[in-house]
């Protein structure tokens, strides 16, 4: 699996209702997209007391089952439409160690993303075990509806991503970004 996120920093006076409308209109188009585990349409508003964001953000987060589905999307018309509206973003990708969702994942209202540098002397096998266990255990807490642990070996970073029912209280670290979830694209419930 592959986790992916791109981020658009928007001007402080940008009308975020435009992004909300875009998510409402285009979000359902990726429901049931082959190869997609989920896509969270994420926003944060400058000065919002919940997200505590320093800027206006539109930052979708994806988890793909395989790289071919990710490539098909990036090379396809949906991503082309995004680049025509906002420019071509830097797409961050991480190799997934663990990605779990609860049965109630459709109720997600908030997301928490933490980016952490992996130290050069850190044992990757130990980190993988620890982060995978923590991601799996997070869902058992009830308010965590999806939990992802992943890494990328270019800049050696770890991403911890959670979809939540309530805003998190532990957001003091500068490595943490909180988002509102505008839509969640998922496979059909069977």
């Amino acid at each position: 699996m592959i986790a992916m996120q791109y981020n658009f920093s928007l001007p402080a006076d940008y009308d975020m209702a435009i992004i909300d409308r875009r998510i409402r209109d285009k979000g359902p188009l990726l429901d049931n997209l082959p190869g997609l585990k989920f896509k969270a349409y994420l926003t944060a508003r400058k000065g919002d007391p919940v997200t505590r964001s320093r800027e206006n953000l539109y930052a979708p987060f994806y988890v793909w089952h395989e790289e071919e589905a990710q490539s098909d999307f990036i090379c396809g018309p949906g991503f082309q439409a995004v680049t025509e509206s906002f420019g071509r973003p830097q797409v961050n990708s991480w190799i997934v160690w663990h990605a779990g969702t609860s049965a109630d994942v459709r109720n997600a209202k908030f997301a928490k993303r933490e980016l952490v540098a992996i130290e050069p002397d850190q044992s990757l096998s130990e980190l993988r075990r620890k982060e995978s266990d923590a991601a799996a255990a997070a869902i058992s807490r009830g308010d965590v509806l999806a939990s992802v642990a992943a890494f990328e070996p270019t800049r050696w970073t770890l991403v911890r991503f959670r979809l939540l029912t309530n805003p998190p209280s532990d957001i003091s670290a500068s490595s943490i970004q909180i988002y509102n979830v505008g839509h969640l694209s998922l496979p059909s419930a069977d």
Side-chain angles (χ1 to χ4, degrees), residues 14-127:
Y14 190 85
D15 182 0
M16 291 297 286
I18 295 168
I19 300 298
D20 295 337
R21 190 169 38 258
R22 180 184 189 89
I23 291 170
R24 188 177 53 252
D25 294 346
K26 297 190 183 290
L29 298 175
L30 266 63
D31 295 353
N32 302 308
L33 183 68
L36 183 66
K37 183 171 180 70
F38 70 80
K39 175 182 179 180
Y41 293 79
L42 306 177
T43 61
R45 286 165 166 74
K46 181 179 180 174
D48 179 341
V50 174
T51 65
R52 299 184 192 174
S53 186
R54 294 183 204 139
E55 56 189 337
N56 289 326
L57 300 171
Y58 173 47
F61 190 95
Y62 304 70
V63 175
W64 301 96
H65 288 290
E66 67 273 333
E67 69 278 354
E68 186 175 351
Q70 177 191 25
S71 179
D72 288 348
F73 174 74
I74 292 173
C75 297
F79 191 72
Q80 179 64 35
V82 169
T83 63
E84 288 171 358
S85 295
F86 300 104
R88 187 178 289 175
Q90 175 181 329
V91 178
N92 298 303
S93 295
W94 299 271
I95 301 166
V96 173
W97 284 332
H98 178 87
T101 58
S102 76
D104 298 327
V105 69
R106 293 180 190 281
N107 296 325
K109 301 292 181 225
F110 302 94
K112 176 183 173 184
R113 189 214 58 209
E114 183 174 14
L115 295 175
V116 180
I118 298 173
E119 296 300 323
D121 60 345
Q122 173 70 52
S123 163
L124 292 177
S125 62
E126 178 61 24
L127 184 63

Side-chain angles (χ1 to χ4, degrees), residues 156-174:
W156 292 102
T157 60
L158 165 75
V159 64
R160 296 176 186 130
F161 182 80
R162 308 290 188 261
L163 290 174
L164 309 160
T165 53
N166 298 304
S169 56
D170 58 335
I171 58 173
S172 59
S174 64

